[in-house]
Amino acid sequence: MTRPLRVALLPGDGVGPEVIAEARRVLEATGVALELEELPWGSAFWREHGRMMPEDALEIVRGFDAVLLGAVGDASLPDDVTLWGLLLELRQGLDLWANVRPARLLPGIPCPLAGRGPDDVDMLFIRENTEGEYSGVGGRAHRGTSAEVAIEASVFTRAGCDRVVRYAFEHARERRGVLTSATKSNASRYGYTLWDEVVRAAAADFPEVRVEHVLVDALCARMVLDPASIDVVVASNLFGDVLTDVAAALQGGLGVAASANVAPDSGTPGLFEPVHGSAPDIAGQGVANPTGAIWSTALLLEHTGHADAAARVMSALESAARHGPKTRDVGGEASTREVGEAVAARVADAT
Ligand code: NAD
Ligand code: IPM
Ligand code: MN
């Protein structure tokens, strides 16, 4: 018998527990042998222990095959404390250097662009995930005085750019063969120019991929005006963050978008999470869309060698998108739980 898949569930804050409950339901419906453990980390943990997760959190997480995270963020705590205390600490601490974010419009989900549909929105974002603008390097001095200074340094390393760029090339080769590299090297002269050079050098090893260098501001406009022209995008940490919220909107909203934080070929557990945050405006109402969390579960299954189960989850999600039930953000009236139950039932039927 094969060893069960060990997954740590980290529901976190706000709508996190609501969408993770449904992701769990779907995961359990796949029939994959599982060992699930809930980690009660997040803002409630902070209130009790003065930290977002235990001191040996990285060690604990390394004992699993994967982590499924809901969301982090609580109005009563500073965002930089909660995010650097959990999500960003896990990404950096585990060196999960690639953030993979598919942005595909499922048939049946309304597109905000008039006249566009599923044929127009099928992109894959590969976001650098441990350095760049999110390196965490900097400081503040002369606090509270008129001489106050804040420095936020972007750190780009050749090795850090190279690994994520090559990973993106590999995806482009498997898809439509077009890689768009997004930077802002007309204004920022050091980090993004190094990035551009790394892309040019790597391109020599992927002759079947057409590469384009697009400035990130222009890319934002193109995503809205001509999304069908975009296949795989590789971008730095901050630009990848911003671009993928635009992409999420194109695929029906933040409730739909999924992501995988991974360290390919390392054996390190990946961290899978919806792109959205704790959504305090709808938390506790049972109306959050669990699609992003369930789609992230499919990414988790795919990355842990359960491609069949992943495909079944995706076709169940597609069926729910087409025929319902759907939550109100994508034009339906169903609750979070109704969507989760319907998707889980379809997964179980196909098993
Ligand atoms: P958000 O993603 O929480 O919410 C933005 C908008 O999207 C809101 O209108 C919200 O209702 C909607 N939305 C989000 N998830 C949804 C879902 N599943 N179904 C339907 N609608 C959904 O972003 P925000 O408001 O900028 O941030 C709120 C908090 O979350 C902040 O503390 C922020 O730092 C944090 N945050 C955390 C993560 C994460 O944990 N990965 C990501 C983004 C933001
Ligand atoms: C995301 C989120 C995070 C990020 C925040 C919460 C730190 O917006 O995963 O997209 O910027 O990476
Ligand atoms: Mn984001």
Side-chain angles (χ1 to χ4, degrees):
M1 217 185 94
T2 51
R3 194 174 65 84
L5 182 67
R6 300 201 63 217
V7 180
L9 301 169
L10 219 170
D13 303 334
V15 295
E18 300 170 43
V19 297
I20 290 302
E22 302 316 316
R24 176 182 192 147
R25 193 189 303 284
V26 172
L27 191 54
E28 288 175 331
T30 60
V32 171
L34 298 167
E35 243 178 71
L36 304 179
E37 193 179 324
E38 286 218 6
L39 305 174
W41 304 347
S43 297
F45 190 92
W46 193 94
R47 274 187 276 275
E48 204 173 315
H49 304 279
R51 41 188 312 134
M52 293 293 286
M53 43 184 197
E55 230 164 308
D56 57 348
L58 295 178
E59 222 172 290
I60 294 172
V61 162
R62 281 185 197 279
F64 291 88
D65 298 311
V67 182
L68 187 60
L69 170 85
V72 184
D74 186 294
S76 69
L77 296 171
D79 262 351
D80 62 320
V81 170
T82 55
L83 272 312
W84 275 100
L86 200 155
L87 178 60
L88 298 171
E89 167 66 11
L90 290 175
R91 288 179 184 164
Q92 276 199 356
L94 297 170
D95 195 25
L96 302 172
W97 49 267
N99 192 323
V100 182
R101 298 186 158 186
R104 181 159 69 86
L105 179 64
L106 304 181
I109 302 286
C111 183
L113 302 178
R116 306 278 184 186
D119 289 345
D120 299 292
V121 182
D122 181 4
M123 308 172 232
L124 180 70
F125 289 78
I126 308 289
R127 167 186 178 189
E128 199 292 316
N129 212 34
T130 53
E131 54 175 50
E133 310 87 343
Y134 282 43
S135 62
V137 174
R140 282 172 68 171
H142 315 301
R143 278 186 190 252
T145 74
S146 58
E148 183 158 2
V149 192
I151 295 177
E152 188 90 43
S154 292
V155 176
F156 288 85
T157 66
R158 182 174 283 278
C161 298
D162 190 64
R163 62 187 181 177
V164 75
V165 160
R166 284 179 185 276
Y167 188 61
F169 267 107
E170 286 164 15
H171 281 278
R173 186 166 60 188
E174 300 301 315
R175 286 175 48 104
R176 301 194 295 275
V178 184
L179 179 64
T180 303
S181 168
T183 60
K184 187 68 190 169
S185 38
N186 50 356
S188 293
R189 292 181 288 177
Y190 307 112
Y192 301 129
T193 50
L194 170 61
W195 176 288
D196 287 347
E197 284 171 31
V198 167
V199 172
R200 285 197 188 89
D205 294 332
F206 297 89
E208 59 281 72
V209 176
R210 179 166 70 79
V211 190
E212 41 171 35
H213 294 258
V214 180
L215 296 168
V216 67
D217 45 356
L219 184 59
C220 287
R222 200 169 120 198
M223 283 174 68
V224 172
L225 296 172
D226 187 14
S229 69
I230 300 166
D231 181 11
V232 178
V233 176
V234 64
S236 63
N237 217 329
L238 176 62
F239 292 164
D241 176 50
V242 176
L243 291 170
T244 53
D245 263 32
V246 179
L250 297 178
Q251 67 178 133
L254 274 160
V256 179
S259 76
N261 302 266
V262 291
D265 307 320
S266 67
T268 306
L271 169 68
F272 301 83
E273 47 158 351
V275 171
H276 66 75
S278 55
D281 53 335
I282 57 165
Q285 298 176 22
V287 297
N289 191 341
T291 302
I294 296 171
W295 193 328
S296 301
T297 308
L299 297 177
L300 183 159
L301 289 165
E302 202 179 301
H303 280 266
T304 52
H306 299 276
D308 287 356
R312 274 186 277 120
V313 171
M314 282 317 296
S315 62
L317 269 185
E318 277 161 28
S319 163
R322 257 184 220 276
H323 309 292
K326 287 189 253 193
T327 46
R328 67 185 190 196
D329 55 310
V330 286
E333 290 175 352
S335 67
T336 309
R337 187 177 177 146
E338 282 162 348
V339 175
E341 285 177 344
V343 174
R346 284 171 178 139
V347 169
D349 278 350
T351 299

